[in-house]
Amino acid sequence: LPGDRTHPVVFMDCVLSPGSLSLIPLYILALLKYVAFRVGQSTRLDDRVFAMSQMKCLPLTYLLQAIYPDLYPVNNLEQYPEVTVGDQNVHIPPRLHLSAERIDSTGIFLLDDSTSIIIYVGHNIHPSICSSYFDVTHFTSIPQDMFDLPKLDNPVSERLHNFVNYLQSDKPYSVPIQIIRDDSHHRMRFIGRLIEDKTEGGPSYYEFLQHIKALIK
């Protein structure tokens, strides 16, 4: 992961270069799949121009997050380390690779791209989680167009809200939140950000690394 030296980078096995450059292939691939530059899939001109404008205007920290978003598992926050931020106790889950291999139909995942937060809900989540997070009894009862995270009077909901507030506090303004079911017509908003998988807009991360290795032999 960007900022995480444990991320496997095959690139470094074939090129003599400092560790500080180890994430260059990942960010190049992410840029090639970013709305501003992607090809091979339909992209509205307005969206492309807006993305290019963001690249010129966003601070570097937020730009990197826009190019390679942060992905977290959030359905069992109580199992993760807890820190005190202000007057709130926040459980902070580990960041995940942007790959479908990390997505489980029994889980809930949060994707933060610096300008929006997506909460992606798997279709096999337990009814108790639906009730605790979304105040509904079943996955299919979650609205298709849901742009607000209910604040419910239970510790599970409180932990999620504390984590979302923690992410929001690091931004100059609160970004919009969208809840997306994995069977929703909005699902590509989430799936399209799984940079390390093969998409219409480019190869998988592994394929990209193999391509680089072939070019430098």
Side-chain angles (χ1 to χ4, degrees):
L1 296 172
D4 181 356
R5 293 182 181 274
T6 64
H7 191 283
V9 181
V10 179
F11 180 70
M12 300 311 298
D13 293 340
C14 52
V15 179
L16 183 61
S17 60
S20 59
L21 300 180
S22 63
L23 292 174
I24 283 183
L26 182 61
Y27 276 117
I28 291 175
L29 178 62
L31 277 171
L32 291 173
K33 294 184 177 183
Y34 189 53
V35 177
F37 303 112
R38 69 187 182 190
V39 295
Q41 63 186 103
S42 177
T43 303
R44 295 191 311 165
L45 179 60
D46 287 351
D47 293 338
R48 193 180 298 277
V49 171
F50 177 71
M52 289 181 176
S53 176
Q54 280 189 312
M55 294 199 67
K56 294 179 180 179
C57 301
L58 283 176
L60 180 59
T61 301
Y62 301 124
L63 177 59
L64 291 177
Q65 194 177 24
I67 294 170
Y68 192 97
D70 296 334
L71 178 65
Y72 304 94
V74 295
N75 51 305
N76 291 305
L77 286 173
E78 67 278 359
Q79 66 180 313
Y80 301 118
E82 183 179 4
V83 298
T84 300
V85 181
D87 59 350
Q88 293 183 336
N89 294 324
V90 182
H91 293 266
I92 302 180
R95 289 170 60 196
L96 302 177
H97 293 265
L98 292 177
S99 171
E101 291 182 352
R102 308 294 176 171
I103 306 303
D104 184 347
S105 66
T106 63
I108 300 176
F109 301 87
L110 184 150
L111 186 138
D112 180 3
D113 68 0
S114 81
T115 59
S116 66
I117 289 175
I118 294 174
I119 296 178
Y120 187 75
V121 186
H123 62 274
N124 284 324
I125 62 168
H126 197 277
S128 65
I129 299 180
C130 281
S131 176
S132 298
Y133 277 176
F134 309 115
D135 199 24
V136 296
T137 57
H138 193 268
F139 167 81
T140 56
S141 299
I142 300 173
Q144 287 279 355
D145 297 298
M146 188 173 183
F147 297 92
D148 186 39
L149 180 63
K151 191 169 186 178
L152 306 175
D153 188 18
N154 66 72
V156 177
S157 177
E158 182 180 358
R159 281 191 287 268
L160 179 57
H161 272 272
N162 287 351
F163 180 58
V164 170
N165 291 339
Y166 166 76
L167 297 178
Q168 296 276 33
S169 67
D170 196 38
K171 307 179 190 304
Y173 55 87
S174 293
V175 300
I177 298 173
Q178 183 175 8
I179 316 298
I180 298 179
R181 291 168 22 183
D182 69 0
D183 64 348
S184 167
H185 58 279
H186 296 300
R187 68 190 299 268
M188 289 310 298
R189 275 208 66 205
F190 177 85
I191 299 299
R193 303 313 307 273
L194 300 180
I195 305 299
E196 298 185 32
D197 291 339
K198 185 172 184 176
T199 65
E200 294 179 353
S204 69
Y205 183 43
Y206 176 78
E207 291 171 336
F208 187 64
L209 289 174
Q210 296 306 308
H211 175 66
I212 293 176
K213 288 177 67 176
L215 290 176
I216 62 179
K217 282 184 178 179

